[in-house]
């Protein structure tokens, strides 16, 4: 029994969900809105699971066309869903993790909209979230590069919308355009990547006369034999797209800023699913990459360098979400390196396990932030300050423009009276182990999985990539990734000690409260997956490899290399020990600088300031761009076109001509006289002719007879 | 000089005299009566030209109905004569000159160009009889014939509407 | 029969007299009569040619012309009556409002 006919429903379910919420959502309570959205995502998961079950019986790729799309000349594209083991794997991850995050978001957004005093945005959030699921499903189920691109752009749009979800404030809720700037940054960085993707698509169509996967892959070996440069160009332009979407060097800069979005968004889009689209793209294009080893090497190096680079930055961050953001970039580097080396199964494996534990970490971080906010709120109420507006009271009437201005005013008032409190700053935390025990244990599981400690999921997947790099003689990649793994364990250890151990460094941390069950239960599911997710592809059993083999024929079964496992585990444990020595043994005091700062000096400053990449981009590109814009505006547009061309050339010539040729004499005696004479003549002529029209019918009849006589005469004597 | 020609000449002189009489009479009633005489002579010409039906229609419609209507209106309005007028002094001489040119053109056409002349065949006896005209009217020209009835109706309604006294005033 | 040229000549003379009447008389009733005279002159020429070519269509045409003339006279006389009612005169030289 197969369920392939369910293929379109993986997109239809979320679309139905968002339509229901758009049309009827204003009548629903928050619970119903959240349930509808979660149900839509959950049904998509069920459909994906049924598709996967169908594939166990018919493992060949199944294509389900629902309609014609573009038929122009040789470009023949239909709207076709592709169900194969690779796309189904992605569907399961997207809808599975997505559903858990939907459920979590019901609890998270309930509090978030109250802290920020705009209850109406609750519904908007879930509409965007469902739209994202639908777009992601189009991305992974598309049967051609163009359909993939539709999803690619769609998720980019959702990312933009959700990063700028609180567009009129910054992450601390102060009136500012910081959040929308972050959204724009993500959009622009992604545009550069999309440009590469588009060029790759054009080249592909030019080369293969098709964008459909099977047709492209079929011809790839032939073309690669005759014209390898072309395939290399295509794959490298695709890599540009990958660096944009999957946040690799040099386009990763948008991802840390994307943490401006609500935490479920960071977890779903900017950690678990959307950013892995680039990895999926490389895995999907495996047939192209294996024909050009040079491109593979470049991809692997980009991934490995990104992994290490981002990991070092993560060490110097203080914001709990920023650490995780750089960690995500780093882990994406692992995946890209994996698929770049040709270890497609390992890369996909790490993608799946990373989705589990990074979602877990982000959501737990969200829980921590909420706990801190609750603590801070409790505090300000306790001290008799003006309370946070909005808590628990129905505020729907305040979502009018006046309402939002009022909110901004109140917020500013608050900022005048109180110090700025950042609930996401780890320097404010400490000792949360006691106040938020459930979150602590969940966070710990995520950390161990990420650090790659046996037997958590991350250990198996990261190790597989390392082993493949080792075995395939990508020595540089292997060492870069190994060092990155060391840093990973270190910054995660640092985070755990700073957040959960020691003493509270801020009153809010002391009064932090544990999150409700709707938040912690999805986390527990993810924690279980983070522990046992490695079972998907235990060495020797290789479930995932065998599963993906049906789609990617270039997969080689991985091999467990004991030395590699020992080295990486040993390094990870050493890193955690090191972090304990630095942050656990003598916990940070309030306002005490990071102990690494003393030891490393300028190197730590570099880590803290993200190696000045943003500043460098500003100096290299953005300010240059502004200079060019200013130059074109000042020099070209104003000085050249306006001052010189318009004023001097056109107006000057015109003035000269009019002064020379149309002086007083020519004007008055020549032109004026002519036209006045014409008018005078017309006036006189009409005065004379007016006599003819005297109103006497007899006279008119006389002229009629005159005409008759004249015409008759003409006819007779012509 | 056949008897036909003499008859034609006499009748033609009468017709022209009657027309001139209509043109020159000061009194409108005389004008109308001269016109009746003219119509009568033209009716005789119609008979000479083998058109008895048209001749009868001429007498009954023109000389009868239409001219009676004229006389009726003239007497109703009491406008038999009009006082002399000073306006348009050039109208009268110009009109005469133009009429002379028109007549000259017609003469030239008839005498110099010989536009229409030649032997004329003798038609069958029934040519132009009421029977033949009736046959033509009710077969080939039925639609125009019916449309004339609409035209007459419209004229009748129009006349009534135009002469009706305004009730609104 | 008499040559058709004489009939045409007679028709031309009557038409010219009619045209002259339209131009020089100031009584609209007589102008009307002159118009009728011109119509009659045309009818006479038509009937004469009908006789020459022995086709009946000319006579049918004359019949229709008479009908139209009758209708025209009915409307025209009604107009004159209506004008007389408003202006209390039918002198055509007083009707020169057309010049505007």
């Amino acid at each position: 029994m197969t369920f392939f006919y369910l293929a379109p429903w993986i997109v239809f379910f979320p679309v139905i969900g968002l339509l229901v919420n758009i049309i009827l959502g204003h009548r629903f309570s928050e619970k119903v809105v959240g349930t509808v959205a979660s149900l839509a995502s959950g049904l998509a998961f069920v459909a994906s699971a049924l598709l996967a079950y169908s594939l166990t019986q018919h493992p060949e790729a199944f294509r389900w066309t629902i309609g014609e799309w573009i038929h122009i000349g040789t470009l023949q594209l239909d709207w076709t869903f592709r169900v194969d083991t690779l796309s189904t794997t992605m569907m399961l991850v997207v809808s599975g993790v997505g559903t858990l995050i939907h459920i979590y978001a019901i609890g998270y957004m309930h509090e978030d909209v109250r802290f920020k005093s705009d209850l109406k945005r609750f519904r908007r959030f879930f509409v965007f979230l469902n739209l994202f699921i639908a777009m992601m499903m189009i991305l992974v189920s598309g049967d051609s590069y163009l359909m993939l691109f539709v999803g690619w752009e769609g998720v980019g749009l959702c990312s933009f919308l959700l990063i700028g979800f609180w567009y009129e404030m910054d992450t601390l809720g102060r009136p500012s355009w910081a959040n929308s700037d972050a959204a724009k940054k993500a959009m622009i960085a992604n545009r550069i990547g999309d440009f590469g993707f588009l060029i790759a698509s054009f080249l592909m169509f030019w080369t293969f006369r098709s964008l459909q996967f099977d047709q492209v892959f079929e011809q790839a070996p032939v073309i690669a034999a005759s014209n390898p440069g072309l395939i290399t160009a295509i794959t490298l332009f695709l890599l540009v797209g990958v660096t944009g979407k999957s946040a690799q060097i040099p386009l990763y800069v948008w991802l840390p800023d994307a943490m401006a979005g609500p935490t479920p968004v960071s977890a779903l889009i900017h950690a678990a699913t959307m950013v892995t689209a680039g990895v999926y793209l490389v895995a999907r294009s495996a047939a192209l990459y294996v024909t050009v080893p040079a491109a593979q090497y470049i991809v692997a190096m980009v991934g490995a360098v990104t992994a290490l680079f981002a990991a070092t930055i993560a060490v110097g961050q203080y914001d709990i979400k920023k650490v995780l953001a750089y960690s995500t970039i780093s882990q994406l580097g692992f995946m890209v390196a994996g698929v770049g080396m040709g270890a497609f199964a390992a890369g996909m494996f790490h993608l799946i396990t990373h989705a589990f534990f990074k979602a877990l970490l982000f959501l737990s971080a969200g829980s921590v932030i909420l706990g801190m906010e609750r603590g801070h709120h409790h505090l300000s109420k306790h001290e008799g300050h003006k309370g946070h507006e909005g808590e628990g009271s129905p505020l729907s009437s305040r979502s009018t423009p006046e309402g939002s201005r009022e909110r901004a005013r109140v917020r500013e008032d608050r900022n005048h009276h109180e110090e700025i409190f950042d609930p996401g700053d780890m320097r404010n935390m400490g000792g949360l182990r006691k106040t938020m025990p459930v979150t602590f244990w969940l966070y710990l599981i995520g950390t161990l999985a990420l650090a790659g400690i046996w037997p958590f999921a991350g250990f198996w997947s990261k190790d597989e990539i390392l082993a493949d790099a080792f075995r395939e003689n990508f020595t540089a990649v292997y060492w870069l990734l190994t060092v990155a793994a060391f840093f990973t364990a270190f910054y995660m250890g640092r985070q755990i000690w700073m957040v959960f151990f020691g003493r509270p460094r801020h009153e809010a941390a002391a009064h932090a409260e544990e999150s409700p069950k709707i938040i912690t239960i999805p986390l527990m599911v993810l924690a279980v997956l983070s522990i046992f997710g490695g079972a998907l592809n235990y060495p020797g059993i290789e479930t995932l490899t065998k599963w993906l083999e049906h789609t990617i024929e270039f997969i080689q079964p991985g091999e467990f290399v004991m030395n590699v496992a020992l080295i990486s585990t040993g390094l990870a444990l050493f890193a955690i020990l090191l972090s304990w020595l630095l942050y656990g043994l003598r916990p940070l005091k309030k306002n005490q600088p990071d102990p690494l700062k003393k030891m490393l000096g300028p190197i730590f400053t570099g880590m803290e300031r993200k190696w000045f990449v943003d500043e460098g981009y500003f100096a290299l590109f953005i300010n240059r761009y502004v200079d060019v814009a200013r130059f074109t505006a000042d020099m070209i547009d104003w000085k050249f076109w306006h001052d010189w061309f318009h004023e001097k050339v056109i107006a000057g010539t015109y003035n000269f001509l009019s002064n020379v040729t149309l002086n007083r004499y020519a004007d008055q005696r020549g032109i004026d006289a002519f036209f006045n004479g014409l008018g005078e003549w017309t006036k006189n002529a009409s005065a004379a002719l007016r006599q003819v029209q005297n109103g006497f019918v007899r006279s008119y009849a006389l002229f009629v007879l005159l005409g008759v006589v004249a015409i008759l005469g003409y006819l007779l004597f012509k | 000089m056949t008897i036909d020609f003499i008859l034609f000449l006499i009748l033609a002189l009468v017709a022209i005299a009657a027309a001139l009489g209509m043109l020159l009479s000061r009194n409108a009633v005389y004008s109308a009566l001269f016109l009746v005489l003219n119509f009568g002579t033209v009716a005789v010409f119609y008979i000479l030209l083998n058109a008895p039906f048209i001749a009868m229609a001429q007498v009954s419609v023109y000389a009868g109905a239409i001219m009676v209507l004229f006389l009726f209106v003239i007497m109703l309005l009491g406008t038999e004569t009009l006082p002399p007028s000073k306006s348009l002094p050039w109208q009268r001489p110009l009109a005469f000159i133009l009429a002379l040119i028109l007549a000259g053109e017609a003469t030239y056409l008839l005498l110099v160009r010989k536009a229409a002349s030649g032997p004329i065949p003798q038609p069958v006896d029934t040519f132009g009889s009421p029977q033949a005209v009736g046959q033509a009217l009710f077969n080939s020209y039925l639609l125009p014939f019916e449309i004339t009835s609409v035209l007459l109706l419209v004229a009748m309604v129009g006349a009534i509407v135009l002469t009706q006294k305004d009730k609104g005033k | 029969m008499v040559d058709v040229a004489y009939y045409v000549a007679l028709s031309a003379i009557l038409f010219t007299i009619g045209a002259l009447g339209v131009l020089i008389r100031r009584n609209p009733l007589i102008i009307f009569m002159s118009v009728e005279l011109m119509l009659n002159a045309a009818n006479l020429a038509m009937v004469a040619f009908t006789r020459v070519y022995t086709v009946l269509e000319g006579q049918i045409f004359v019949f229709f012309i008479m009908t139209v003339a009758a209708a025209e006279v009915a409307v025209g006389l009604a107009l004159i009556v209506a004008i007389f009612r408003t202006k209390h005169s039918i002198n055509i030289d007083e009707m020169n409002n057309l010049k505007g």
Side-chain angles (χ1 to χ4, degrees):
Chain A
M1 187 159 165
T2 58
F3 300 95
F4 287 122
Y5 55 86
L6 283 174
W9 286 94
I10 57 167
V11 175
F12 290 168
F13 279 131
V15 168
I16 291 170
L18 79 91
L19 286 178
V20 167
N21 270 342
I22 284 176
I23 297 165
L24 301 171
H26 61 283
R27 299 181 183 188
F28 294 165
S29 66
E30 283 185 1
K31 272 198 184 112
V32 180
V33 168
T35 310
V36 166
S38 308
L39 208 61
S41 178
L43 284 170
F45 177 71
V46 172
S48 306
L50 288 171
L51 288 176
Y53 168 74
S54 310
L55 276 174
T56 57
Q57 293 167 352
H58 296 274
E60 298 82 29
F62 183 84
R63 301 168 61 218
W64 185 275
T65 305
I66 59 169
E68 273 187 16
W69 188 19
I70 301 175
H71 284 205
I72 308 168
T74 46
L75 181 62
Q76 301 284 324
L77 286 176
D78 290 329
W79 196 264
T80 304
F81 291 97
R82 184 187 182 89
V83 181
D84 60 19
T85 49
L86 179 61
S87 65
T88 312
T89 309
M90 288 298 288
M91 288 176 207
L92 285 170
V93 172
V94 170
S95 55
V97 176
T99 306
L100 290 173
I101 294 176
H102 270 76
I103 296 167
Y104 170 91
I106 300 173
Y108 184 90
M109 290 313 288
H110 173 81
E111 302 197 22
D112 201 27
V113 293
R114 278 168 180 74
F115 283 131
K116 287 169 175 136
S117 310
D118 189 353
L119 298 187
K120 291 222 162 162
R121 288 201 204 175
F122 188 87
R123 173 163 68 111
R124 188 191 299 175
F125 183 81
F126 281 94
V127 169
F128 287 166
L129 224 50
N130 268 350
L131 181 65
F132 170 77
I133 296 283
M135 284 301 170
M136 196 66 202
M137 286 302 196
I138 291 176
L139 194 161
V140 299
S141 65
D143 189 41
S144 65
Y145 279 99
L146 200 61
M147 189 166 158
L148 193 154
F149 189 66
V150 169
W152 187 273
E153 288 299 299
V155 293
L157 169 71
C158 294
S159 162
F160 169 78
L161 292 172
L162 286 163
I163 294 170
F165 187 73
W166 300 106
Y167 55 85
E168 77 282 45
M169 51 183 88
D170 64 8
T171 40
L172 303 182
R174 291 173 297 191
S176 143
W177 296 116
N179 284 0
S180 49
D181 283 346
K184 280 182 270 183
K185 188 174 180 182
M187 198 70 174
I188 291 166
N190 268 302
R191 267 315 62 64
I192 300 169
D194 296 343
F195 180 71
F197 191 120
L198 274 179
I199 299 282
S201 302
F202 296 156
L203 276 175
M204 221 179 277
F205 182 65
W206 186 56
T207 313
F208 304 114
R209 294 277 145 216
S210 173
L211 290 171
Q212 203 269 329
F213 290 141
D214 294 332
Q215 290 167 10
V216 168
F217 300 154
E218 229 167 71
Q219 303 169 54
V222 186
I223 306 277
S226 62
N227 196 350
L230 204 54
I231 306 283
T232 310
I234 291 173
T235 48
L236 289 183
F237 275 117
L238 278 180
L239 176 65
V240 174
V242 171
T243 59
K245 192 62 79 189
S246 286
Q248 299 296 294
I249 289 173
L251 295 177
Y252 72 89
V253 288
W254 65 272
L255 186 59
D257 289 23
M259 297 304 131
T263 301
V265 174
S266 305
L268 177 60
I269 302 185
H270 304 119
T273 54
M274 184 190 84
V275 288
T276 61
V279 181
Y280 167 75
L281 179 64
V282 178
R284 174 56 81 192
S285 310
L288 293 175
Y289 279 96
V290 292
T291 56
V292 275
Q296 276 190 300
Y297 189 75
I298 293 173
V299 174
M301 278 309 286
V302 166
V305 171
T306 308
L308 179 56
F309 188 77
T312 59
I313 297 177
V315 172
Q317 297 304 307
Y318 294 110
D319 188 292
I320 187 168
K321 279 173 78 182
K322 281 274 163 66
V323 173
L324 293 176
Y326 280 102
S327 161
T328 304
I329 298 172
S330 170
Q331 296 302 308
L332 286 166
F334 273 86
M335 296 173 217
V336 170
V339 291
M341 289 183 298
F344 300 108
M348 290 301 294
F349 183 30
H350 196 55
L351 187 157
I352 297 166
T353 56
H354 174 258
F356 296 154
F357 58 68
K358 191 48 73 58
L360 170 63
L361 282 171
F362 261 115
L363 298 182
S364 305
S367 171
V368 168
I369 292 170
L370 279 182
M372 292 288 287
E373 288 218 17
R374 279 186 219 108
H376 182 242
H377 173 69
H378 172 79
L379 201 67
S380 50
K381 211 156 62 175
H382 197 70
E383 289 174 5
H385 278 251
K386 189 195 298 189
H388 280 255
E389 72 281 5
E391 165 82 329
S393 58
L395 280 170
S396 49
S397 64
R398 300 186 59 183
S399 53
T400 53
E402 292 79 41
S404 69
R405 231 174 287 136
E406 169 81 359
R407 273 206 312 279
R409 200 184 55 72
V410 169
R411 212 174 282 127
E412 260 172 306
D413 276 0
R414 199 177 71 210
N415 292 335
H416 280 298
H417 296 311
E418 304 170 24
E419 92 278 27
I420 299 156
F421 170 70
D422 184 352
D425 194 330
M426 296 195 292
R427 285 170 296 193
N428 288 337
M429 300 174 186
L432 289 178
R433 177 171 45 107
K434 297 201 180 79
T435 42
M436 302 182 77
V438 181
T439 306
F440 164 65
W441 284 108
L442 293 167
Y443 208 98
L444 192 63
I445 290 168
T447 301
L448 293 175
L450 175 58
I453 305 297
W454 187 89
F456 292 93
F459 168 78
W460 303 104
S461 58
K462 190 185 289 181
D463 223 55
E464 198 169 324
I465 293 176
L466 290 172
D468 278 332
F470 185 74
R471 204 182 56 229
E472 304 283 331
N473 289 324
F474 284 87
T475 321
V477 173
Y478 169 72
W479 284 112
L480 283 169
L481 292 183
T482 306
V483 178
F486 167 79
F487 276 109
T488 306
F490 180 78
Y491 64 68
M492 286 317 292
R494 170 177 179 261
Q495 197 173 37
I496 287 283
W497 302 124
M498 278 179 85
V499 172
F500 292 102
F501 289 86
R503 285 160 176 268
R505 283 178 293 274
H506 190 280
E507 294 299 308
H511 292 90
E513 291 165 26
E514 184 57 88
S515 296
K517 285 214 168 55
I518 188 137
I519 286 181
T520 50
I521 286 175
L523 294 183
M524 289 170 191
V525 178
L526 283 169
V528 170
L529 288 169
S530 300
I531 298 171
F532 300 108
L536 273 176
N537 210 23
Y538 279 148
I541 307 172
E542 309 278 358
T543 327
L544 186 71
T545 308
K546 283 173 188 148
W547 169 252
L548 289 177
E549 240 169 4
H550 297 298
T551 305
I552 309 172
E553 49 198 292
F554 317 99
I555 283 183
Q556 299 127 344
E559 224 177 286
F560 189 73
V561 184
M562 189 49 90
N563 288 343
V564 171
L566 283 177
I567 289 174
S568 63
T569 312
L571 277 175
L573 288 172
F574 176 62
I576 291 172
L577 182 70
L578 206 60
S579 66
W580 179 72
L581 287 172
L582 283 168
Y583 299 96
L585 201 60
R586 276 188 302 277
L588 232 58
K589 302 281 181 311
K590 200 170 180 177
N591 297 331
Q592 181 198 344
D594 197 291
L596 268 181
K597 195 157 190 149
K598 238 185 290 169
M599 297 166 66
L600 296 175
I603 299 178
F604 184 79
T605 310
M607 291 170 168
E608 195 180 350
R609 305 291 302 275
K610 307 152 191 174
W611 298 118
F612 301 98
V613 170
D614 275 338
E615 288 81 356
Y617 278 1
F618 261 93
L620 271 177
F621 303 112
I622 297 165
N623 288 343
R624 296 294 79 76
Y625 180 80
V626 171
D627 288 346
V628 169
R630 194 162 287 147
F631 175 79
T632 50
D634 284 353
M635 297 303 294
I636 309 269
D637 193 59
W638 193 252
K639 291 256 169 60
F640 175 74
W641 283 112
H642 178 266
D643 284 358
W644 187 75
F645 192 75
H646 284 140
E647 293 293 318
K648 292 258 167 60
V649 177
I650 296 182
T653 311
Y654 187 80
N655 285 335
F656 176 76
L657 282 177
S658 55
N659 283 335
V660 169
T661 61
L662 300 178
N663 54 35
R664 204 173 174 78
Y665 183 78
D667 197 38
Q668 289 189 346
R669 298 294 166 82
I671 294 176
D672 279 6
F674 174 74
F675 285 104
N676 286 341
L678 201 65
E680 202 66 29
W681 181 82
T682 312
K683 218 167 88 181
N684 294 338
S686 51
L689 280 172
R690 201 157 55 94
Q691 305 297 318
V692 176
Q693 202 205 352
N694 53 16
F696 292 111
V697 182
R698 286 196 294 154
S699 161
Y700 295 166
L702 189 74
F703 284 106
V704 173
L705 188 64
L706 183 68
V708 170
V709 168
I711 290 170
L712 200 59
Y714 170 76
L715 289 175
L716 284 175
F717 303 108
K718 69 176 172 185
Chain B
M1 267 249 190
T2 58
I3 212 93
D4 271 358
F5 189 62
I6 294 165
L7 187 60
F8 173 80
L9 270 184
I10 295 167
L11 281 173
L13 285 175
V14 171
I16 292 168
L20 287 173
M22 179 215 70
L23 180 65
L24 301 173
S25 299
R26 291 233 167 271
N27 193 320
V29 178
Y30 293 162
S31 289
L33 290 174
F34 276 122
L35 195 58
V36 172
L37 178 60
N38 176 278
F39 285 168
T41 50
V42 171
V44 178
F45 285 129
Y46 288 162
I47 290 171
L48 291 177
L49 289 168
N50 290 51
F53 175 76
I54 297 298
M56 286 306 114
Q58 170 88 356
V59 170
S60 58
V61 175
Y62 262 128
I66 294 181
M67 291 323 293
V68 167
L69 199 58
F70 266 104
L71 284 170
F72 189 70
V73 171
I74 291 165
M75 291 169 180
L76 176 75
L77 302 182
T79 55
E80 291 85 354
T81 56
L82 285 174
S85 160
K86 288 281 188 297
S87 61
L88 294 174
W90 293 102
Q91 176 85 10
R92 194 172 280 254
L94 265 179
F96 275 112
I97 292 167
L98 279 178
L100 276 177
I101 296 173
L102 189 62
E105 279 172 350
T107 316
Y108 170 81
L109 186 66
L110 284 169
L111 297 182
V112 182
R113 299 281 288 271
K114 299 262 182 219
S117 60
I120 297 165
Q122 185 63 38
V124 291
D125 285 348
T126 54
F127 179 76
S129 68
Q131 195 184 0
V133 175
Q135 288 283 345
L137 270 182
F138 288 99
N139 288 318
S140 318
Y141 299 94
L142 183 61
L143 183 65
F145 182 76
E146 294 297 343
I147 289 173
T148 47
S149 66
V150 177
L151 181 74
L152 287 170
L153 178 69
V154 170
M156 189 167 78
V157 172
I160 291 167
V161 168
L162 280 170
T163 52
Q164 176 187 46
K165 285 210 168 123
D166 242 337
K167 276 171 193 161
K169 274 183 187 170
Chain C
M1 71 161 270
V2 183
D3 194 291
V4 74
Y6 293 102
Y7 282 104
V8 176
L10 176 63
S11 164
I13 291 165
L14 291 178
F15 186 88
T16 309
I17 293 170
L20 210 48
V22 171
L23 294 183
I24 64 176
R25 296 308 298 257
R26 287 176 293 117
N27 190 333
L29 287 162
I30 297 185
I31 290 174
F32 238 118
M33 290 181 212
S34 304
V35 170
E36 296 303 318
L37 184 63
M38 288 159 79
L39 279 171
N40 250 279
N43 283 354
L44 181 61
M46 194 102 73
V47 173
F49 283 118
T50 302
R51 170 71 183 75
V52 171
Y53 298 109
T54 56
V55 284
L56 206 53
E57 273 72 14
Q59 293 190 14
I60 304 291
F61 228 93
V62 169
F63 174 80
F64 285 130
I65 291 172
M66 281 180 183
T67 322
V68 172
E72 172 217 324
V73 165
V75 176
L77 289 176
L79 276 172
I80 289 169
V81 170
I83 289 168
F84 184 79
R85 264 206 204 128
T86 52
K87 298 193 85 132
H88 300 290
S89 161
I90 53 166
N91 189 341
I92 196 120
D93 283 355
E94 288 172 22
M95 303 178 200
N96 58 358
N97 293 341
L98 264 181
K99 71 179 172 190

